[in-house]
Amino acid sequence: MGTAILGTGAYLPERVVSNHDLARIVDTNDEWIRTRTGINTRRIGGQGDETYLLAARAAAQALLMANISAAEIDLIVVATISSHMLMPSCACFVQKELGASRAFAFDINAACSGFVYALDLADKYILADPSKKILVIGAEALSSRTNWEDRNTCILFGDGAGAVVLGHVDGDRGVIGARLFSDGNLWSLLHMHTAPSCNPALLQSASPGAHIVMEGREVFKYAVKAMREAILVLLEQEQVGLEAVKLVIPHQANIRILNNLVERLGIGAEKVFINVQKYGNTSAASIPIALDEANRASMIQPGDIVLLCSFGGGFTWGAALIRW
Ligand SMILES: CC(C)(COP(=O)(O)OP(=O)(O)OC[C@H]1O[C@@H](n2cnc3c(N)ncnc32)[C@H](O)[C@@H]1OP(=O)(O)O)[C@@H](O)C(=O)NCCC(=O)NCCS
C-alpha cells in the first residue's frame, strides 16, 4: 500500500519566446544561450496567466486523468515562489477556481525543490489518513520575477504549471521514499527579495527589487553535487539500485547541469527525461510538467520506478522515488 499518483496534468502559457526574441532586449544571442543552457524557447504568460490560473488549469487536467472531481479533494498544496499575491496563498485561489470546497489549501516555498517537498508532505498526510485525496501543484509565473535587464538570469526562466492527484492504493505502487535537504547559509547565491517594505523603520533607500538574483557558476557547482548526493543517499536508504530506475525526472534547470549529473551518476542519458529546451527553468513547475509529459508519452508503465531530483534557492534540494 502506498501513495500513488492517480493523475498528472500540465499547463503552459501559449506565448513562445525564442532566444532570438531575447537577443532583441538584452545583449545575448541564440548560440550562447543554447550552448550554455540547452534552452531554445520558453513560455511567457500575460494577462489571464496569473500563477493560480496556470495552476488551476494544470490541476484540472490531473483531476480529469484521475477521474476525481474537485469536490473530492481534501488538500491542495501549491509549490511556488511567484504567486501574484502574498496573501491569500496561491493554493486558496486554486481552490476557489476549481470549486474544491472541501479542501484546505496552502503554499510552500522551497524554490525549485518545491514540488518534491510538497510530494513528500502529501505522502505523509496520506500515510496518516489513507482516505485523503491531495492535489500537489508546482506553478510559476517567473516572468513576473525576472530582471529583464539582466542577461545572466532572464534567459533561463519560463512560466508554467504541473500537477498531480495523489491518493492511497493497495499493492506496492506509490511513493517509495524521499530525502530532502536545505542549507540556508548559501541563501545569497540564489535569491529574490520581496517588494520594498511599507514599515518606515525598515525602508531601504535602494530597493533591490523583487526579482531573481543568482551567482550562476556557484549555483552550477552546488546543483550537480547536491542532486547526486541526494540521489545516492535515497537509493541507499530505500535499498534500490540505480539500474532498477526506469526514468529519472530531474528539475529542468539547464542541460549542462543535467549532463554533468548523468555523467557523475554513470547512467545512460536515455534514462533521463529532458524538456528544458522547450520551457527553460520553470522552478517548482518543472518536475510535474516533465512528469506529465513523460506519462502522456507512455514513457512510464505500471511497476516502473521513477526517480525525481531537484535543486533550488535556499539552497534546497532532494530526491524522491516512486513505483508507478
Ligand atoms: C548561468 C550560466 C548559464 C552562465 O554560464 P557560465 O558559463 O557560468 O558563464 P559566466 O557567467 O561565467 O559568463 C561567461 C561570459 O558570458 C557572458 N554572459 C553571461 N550571460 C550571457 C548571455 N545571456 N549572453 C551572452 N553572454 C553572456 C558573461 O558576461 C561572461 O563574459 P566575460 O567572460 O566577458 O566576463 C551558468 O552559470 C549556469 O547554468 N548556472 C546555473 C544556473 C541555474 O541553473 N540556476 C537555477 C538553478 S535551480
Side-chain angles (χ1 to χ4, degrees), residues 27-28 32 36-37 112 151-152 155 214 216-217 219-220 251 253-254 256-257 281 311-312:
D27 180 14
T28 189
W32 194 97
R36 302 282 176 134
T37 70
C112 304
R151 68 177 183 171
N152 290 295
I155 55 153
M214 185 183 68
R217 290 209 159 192
V219 172
F220 192 107
H251 167 49
N254 88 42
R256 282 163 58 228
I257 290 181
N281 179 345
F311 181 85

Side-chain angles (χ1 to χ4, degrees), residues 224-300:
V224 175
K225 185 169 171 289
M227 279 196 284
R228 178 179 174 276
E229 281 172 13
I231 289 170
L232 295 180
V233 167
L234 176 62
L235 291 172
E236 167 78 24
Q237 170 185 298
E238 302 301 336
Q239 292 293 292
V240 173
L242 200 46
E243 69 290 342
V245 172
K246 176 72 189 309
L247 194 64
V248 182
I249 302 193
H251 167 49
Q252 308 286 314
N254 88 42
I255 197 72
R256 282 163 58 228
I257 290 181
L258 299 181
N259 287 343
N260 230 287
L261 181 65
V262 166
E263 198 180 303
R264 289 188 191 202
L265 284 171
I267 51 172
E270 73 289 348
K271 270 196 176 185
V272 183
F273 187 86
I274 290 174
N275 64 6
V276 69
Q277 69 282 3
K278 293 191 288 188
Y279 308 134
N281 179 345
T282 56
S283 189
S286 92
I287 291 179
I289 291 171
L291 191 60
D292 182 57
E293 276 198 12
N295 188 24
R296 285 175 197 270
S298 300
M299 293 172 72
I300 322 170

Side-chain angles (χ1 to χ4, degrees), residues 73-154:
I73 293 295
D74 300 286
L75 165 61
I76 300 171
V77 187
V78 178
T80 187
I81 52 168
S82 54
S83 188
H84 76 303
M85 288 174 77
L86 276 178
M87 179 183 72
S89 66
C90 186
C92 282
F93 279 101
V94 172
Q95 183 216 20
K96 170 182 87 70
E97 207 58 30
L98 295 175
S101 49
R102 140 168 156 195
F104 65 107
F106 59 87
D107 292 353
I108 68 167
N109 173 348
C112 304
S113 300
F115 180 78
V116 177
Y117 273 52
L119 181 76
D120 183 55
L121 187 85
D123 176 36
K124 270 131 199 176
Y125 266 105
I126 289 171
L127 281 176
D129 178 357
S131 71
K132 292 241 178 307
K133 298 274 184 292
I134 302 181
L135 252 175
V136 170
I137 307 170
E140 303 286 8
L142 291 180
S143 58
S144 63
R145 300 289 188 279
T146 298
N147 177 354
W148 289 102
E149 293 176 357
D150 176 13
R151 68 177 183 171
N152 290 295
T153 54
C154 76

Side-chain angles (χ1 to χ4, degrees), residues 81 109-113 117 181-183 186-187 189-192 219 251 283 311-317:
I81 52 168
N109 173 348
C112 304
S113 300
Y117 273 52
F181 304 88
S182 307
D183 187 349
L186 301 170
W187 71 269
L189 298 174
L190 181 54
H191 66 272
M192 177 165 66
V219 172
H251 167 49
S283 189
F311 181 85
F315 287 152
T316 57
W317 65 100

Side-chain angles (χ1 to χ4, degrees), residues 19-40:
N19 296 338
H20 298 289
D21 295 329
L22 292 182
R24 284 192 274 276
I25 58 171
V26 287
D27 180 14
T28 189
N29 59 74
D30 176 57
E31 211 239 325
W32 194 97
I33 301 173
R34 270 190 295 109
T35 50
R36 302 282 176 134
T37 70
I39 300 167
N40 300 336

